[in-house]
Amino acid sequence: MATNWGSLLQDKQQLEELARQAVDRALAEGVLLRTSQEPTSSEVVSYAPFTLFPSLVPSALLEQAYAVQMDFNLLVDAVSQNAAFLEQTLSSTIKQDDFTARLFDIHKQVLKEGIAQTVFLGLNRSDYMFQRSADGSPALKQIEINTISASFGGLASRTPAVHRHVLSVLSKTKEAGKILSNNPSKGLALGIAKAWELYGSPNALVLLIAQEKERNIFDQRAIENELLASIHSLWLLPIFPRNIHVIRRTFEDISEKGSLDQDRRLFVDGQEIAVVYFRDGYMPRQYSLQNWEARLLLERSHAAKCPDIATQLAGTKKVQQELSRPGMLEMLLPGQPEAVARLRATFAGLYSLDVGEEGDQAIAEALAAPSRFVLKPQREGGGNNLYGEEMVQALKQLKDSEERASYILMEKIEPEPFENCLLRPGSPARVVQCISELGIFGVYVRQEKTLVMNKHVGHLLRTKAIEHADGGVAAGVAVLDNPYPV
Ligand code: ADP
Ligand code: MG
């Protein structure tokens, strides 16, 4: 994909002036992060890094990503309800990966006790890159789906105004008009509000499980703000026409102040909780023993967890890899051949590393052509995957060990690089070769066995310099962007 902004990117003086204007607009719009120096304070904040220009994305791929999102919602929901599939899929992984094993233990424990939760809420984000095909045309390929703490829906709602501003400064009003409106935070809030309403207790609250040090708090506040503003919508019955209050607590707070009554209703500080929204709990280092106990307490409760543990497990890389096996989608989504075809079209090559012939062959292929593969452990949050020589070393070491079952191998997506200018606090504006990753936010709500909401609610485009193989915005690698449809 060539850029539209070629000559603009060459004029250093103009770029610097544009960057100053863009940064001020980003700050005014609330495209904000707390600083790494003071991650618990909102006294001094800065802008979240972003591209000076929107990046070109083929409209057809955007449309395809939107069109398949409801299918992904259905698929995640189906996996989460299929205990046998989860058990079989994760059996080799949980022997080797302690984090997945702990999640799985809680899942089993709650299944045995009986699930008290009746309302299920999924807020996910499916991420894609644009694979350059042999004929040069780009194809939409899924990187992963995030089923817990999928972030940047709030800030992505505020970046279109920044790019429209930049293009307007350049008197490119026609181009400014092409920047898509985007409001994931409203859609995510709508899902939470629906789950809250179905829970059926007008005085109950939404509990956001927060990290002690949260730089990305304004992203979360955007959703809280939408909930607090009375949501007037066809999706909500007018039985509780009121604003919905969110309390923010850490796992430690829950272990000290959380309790269940005899019906397993969840109370925190004496207040009933209708919905638990996790913005923590997706990485091993986020759990002390105490935190695992808190997670178990929450999981056992009647409250709608977003996500419940089964849904978190449905988002593991191992599940993603197993879903790409022939027949799996058909088994999970019976009688829906069109959805299956849309889903499968987005799958890249995914390979099991379980001990056995199939895994041996995958390892041999990756060792023979390392640049074509990525080695992935069962981790979230960026910076965990291995590429190139590092992957080769790891594979050689893992080859003869059972530990290899805790990884999967994935085909490496190679998008066509393009130029854009990256803006970060504390660094001069940098024009570099970039690649983008498109995320689509999905929302669904299920009551017992009935799906009552299934939507896509917006997008996120993140762009990074090609020298970084891995990592998102929170990891300090990618920056926020907007698709410029072409
Ligand atoms: P995480 O759960 O840590 O976000 P991801 O699977 O999203 O893990 O990988 C992190 C980053 O690594 C992605 O944002 C992307 O930039 C890069 N990446 C992951 N898988 C691939 C792939 N198959 N091809 C190319 N890059 C990839
Ligand atoms: Mg990711």
Side-chain angles (χ1 to χ4, degrees), residues 207-417:
L207 166 67
L208 187 153
I209 300 293
Q211 300 180 31
E212 195 73 54
K213 295 178 180 168
E214 181 54 80
R215 288 189 65 199
N216 202 15
I217 191 161
F218 304 103
D219 185 56
Q220 302 173 357
R221 290 291 194 205
I223 299 170
E224 293 178 41
N225 299 345
E226 292 282 354
L227 286 166
L228 206 52
S230 303
I231 297 182
H232 297 290
S233 156
L234 292 175
W235 288 98
L236 293 181
L237 301 173
I239 35 174
F240 307 136
R242 50 158 277 181
N243 53 349
I244 300 172
H245 293 264
V246 180
I247 56 169
R248 303 174 60 91
R249 297 289 186 275
T250 62
F251 278 122
E252 285 82 359
D253 295 329
I254 302 308
S255 77
E256 283 161 21
K257 308 256 181 66
S259 61
L260 305 184
D261 72 4
Q262 73 269 26
D263 300 323
R264 286 197 262 159
R265 288 178 179 270
L266 173 64
F267 290 83
V268 174
D269 293 324
Q271 290 170 299
E272 187 174 359
I273 304 298
V275 177
V276 183
Y277 174 40
F278 289 94
R279 293 295 293 251
D280 191 13
Y282 48 92
M283 285 180 190
R285 67 170 156 82
Q286 294 166 335
Y287 287 94
S288 61
L289 252 186
Q290 189 189 15
N291 292 8
W292 280 118
E293 279 163 21
R295 182 76 196 260
L296 173 63
L297 179 95
L298 296 171
E299 190 67 15
R300 292 183 56 227
S301 79
H302 174 56
K305 272 79 63 183
C306 179
D308 64 348
I309 289 211
T311 305
Q312 183 172 353
L313 290 169
T316 56
K317 270 96 184 156
K318 184 65 192 176
V319 165
Q320 181 187 8
Q321 172 258 302
E322 283 297 310
L323 289 174
S324 75
R325 273 189 204 285
M328 282 298 176
L329 293 180
E330 286 82 355
M331 184 273 288
L332 288 156
L333 298 174
Q336 301 182 64
E338 282 134 19
V340 166
R342 280 189 297 267
L343 289 162
R344 189 162 285 136
T346 68
F347 287 178
L350 289 149
Y351 310 93
S352 166
L353 290 184
D354 284 4
V355 174
E357 211 175 297
E358 187 191 336
D360 288 344
Q361 198 188 333
I363 291 174
E365 281 178 33
L367 289 175
S371 64
R372 288 180 32 223
F373 295 89
V374 184
L375 180 63
K376 296 190 171 189
Q378 308 306 308
R379 288 292 166 274
E380 301 296 327
N384 301 296
N385 302 332
L386 297 173
Y387 305 79
E389 187 50 33
E390 266 190 310
M391 177 188 76
V392 168
Q393 290 313 319
L395 282 176
K396 283 182 178 161
Q397 225 176 30
L398 287 167
K399 226 162 111 161
D400 302 311
S401 137
E402 306 260 330
E403 198 195 332
R404 67 192 226 187
S406 67
Y407 292 80
I408 65 152
L409 206 56
M410 185 173 181
E411 171 195 359
K412 185 158 184 264
I413 308 305
E414 298 280 4
E416 167 108 45

Side-chain angles (χ1 to χ4, degrees), residues 433-450:
Q433 289 290 313
C434 299
I435 54 174
S436 293
E437 186 168 346
L438 173 71
I440 306 290
F441 289 96
V443 175
Y444 61 89
V445 178
R446 172 166 53 82
Q447 188 167 36
E448 307 277 8
K449 293 281 162 203
T450 310

